[in-house]
Amino acid sequence: SRTPFYLFLLSSKAIITEMSVDVTRKCVQLHGGMGYCEDTGIARYMRDAMGTTIADCPSDLHRETIAHLLGFPEAEKCC
């Protein structure tokens, strides 16, 4: 069955994309107003990180599918 591999894949995508958003958000907060300036490049990283959370399938739908694969009865299969 491909379920263990699929579960690993979904979990990895959700964790990595959410981590990239958290890191760039902290970077923007660290640099204050300069974090939003295009000159620093931080704003570009923030846009890229936010885009990864919706590419392929949104992270919240990945979490729903993970819950379904783990057998939680109230979870619906998505994506």
Side-chain angles (χ1 to χ4, degrees), residues 60-69 71-79:
D60 56 339
L61 294 180
H62 279 300
R63 285 189 215 98
E64 288 285 330
T65 306
I66 292 167
H68 175 76
L69 289 173
F72 290 100
E74 63 276 1
E76 296 179 19
K77 185 175 181 185
C78 303
C79 291

Side-chain angles (χ1 to χ4, degrees), residues 20-26 28 35-36 41-52:
S20 68
V21 170
D22 289 342
V23 168
T24 55
R25 186 178 295 132
K26 288 178 183 178
V28 168
Y36 287 107
I42 299 169
R44 181 174 54 90
Y45 290 128
M46 184 69 166
R47 285 193 310 270
D48 291 346
M50 294 300 287
T52 61

Side-chain angles (χ1 to χ4, degrees), residues 1-5 10 12-15 18 31-32 35 38-39 41 45-46 50 55-59 64 69 73 77:
S1 171
R2 69 178 198 154
T3 302
F5 176 73
L10 292 174
S12 298
K13 196 262 184 189
I15 291 169
E18 294 297 324
H31 290 279
E38 292 295 324
D39 297 337
Y45 290 128
M46 184 69 166
M50 294 300 287
D56 180 38
C57 187
S59 295
E64 288 285 330
L69 289 173
K77 185 175 181 185

